[in-house]
Amino acid sequence: MIDLRREGEVFVLRFDDGENRFSPGFLDGVNDALDEVEKADSPRALVTVGTGRFYSNGLDLDWLGANSDKFEEYLGRIHALFARMLEFPAPTIAAVNGHMFAGGGMLALCHDFAVMRTDRGYFCLPEVDLRMRFTPGMNALLTARLSAAVA
């Protein structure tokens, strides 16, 4: 599901779990990989990439629906991942291979740089169409990383 490989001074963290939704196992795997990169000798950099059609579709709504009593804890873990990526002690690049929706798009925005194919994939925040409110942290991320017109 999560594959971390080192290629010289660059770590490549591949998300390989279908739509790469933020299940608890996915979050554990990403955090374990980030721990390994942080412990490595410098210089180092981190590239994240998905597989197939998806970089990441964000929150795991199926898991959340079955565990609604854990919503606050779950959202806290996602905010912690975003904060960790924003403060990561090495350059980070999101190599967006396909769709990035909702939290997946926000995760890409947490990197120092993001590159995306021009012929494949969408960046979408369906919360906007659903008239859902972003958390203050998510709103701050979007307004800081996107142009005012886009945000």
Side-chain angles (χ1 to χ4, degrees):
M1 153 160 65
I2 299 295
D3 179 51
L4 179 66
R5 295 181 189 208
R6 186 171 191 166
E7 299 176 16
E9 296 172 347
V10 176
F11 286 86
V12 178
L13 177 56
R14 184 174 309 278
F15 308 145
D16 191 12
D17 189 28
E19 294 183 2
N20 299 316
R21 292 188 177 267
F22 300 164
S23 68
F26 181 92
L27 295 171
D28 290 341
V30 170
N31 278 303
D32 289 346
L34 295 178
D35 288 344
E36 186 174 334
V37 175
E38 284 183 353
K39 292 175 188 172
D41 293 332
S42 294
R44 64 187 184 277
L46 173 67
V47 175
T48 62
V49 64
T51 54
R53 295 176 48 206
F54 298 95
Y55 176 78
S56 174
N57 267 358
L59 278 62
D60 186 339
L61 300 178
D62 292 337
W63 183 89
L64 192 55
N67 297 278
S68 59
D69 60 317
K70 298 179 180 171
F71 176 74
E72 293 296 327
E73 175 187 343
Y74 177 71
L75 192 58
R77 289 191 70 191
I78 291 166
H79 281 148
L81 176 60
F82 292 169
R84 187 172 188 186
M85 289 302 301
L86 285 164
E87 297 178 343
F88 203 71
T92 58
I93 301 96
V96 180
N97 59 294
H99 306 319
M100 55 177 175
F101 280 58
M106 290 182 209
L107 178 60
L109 292 175
C110 291
H111 290 66
D112 297 317
F113 303 95
V115 293
M116 183 175 181
R117 297 172 54 152
T118 59
D119 64 332
R120 184 174 181 185
Y122 296 97
F123 175 32
C124 180
L125 297 171
E127 297 88 345
V128 173
D129 291 331
L130 297 171
R131 299 187 185 273
M132 296 171 65
R133 289 194 155 177
F134 293 109
T135 65
M138 291 174 179
N139 192 53
L141 172 67
L142 294 171
T143 57
R145 295 293 182 141
L146 300 174
S147 69
V150 172

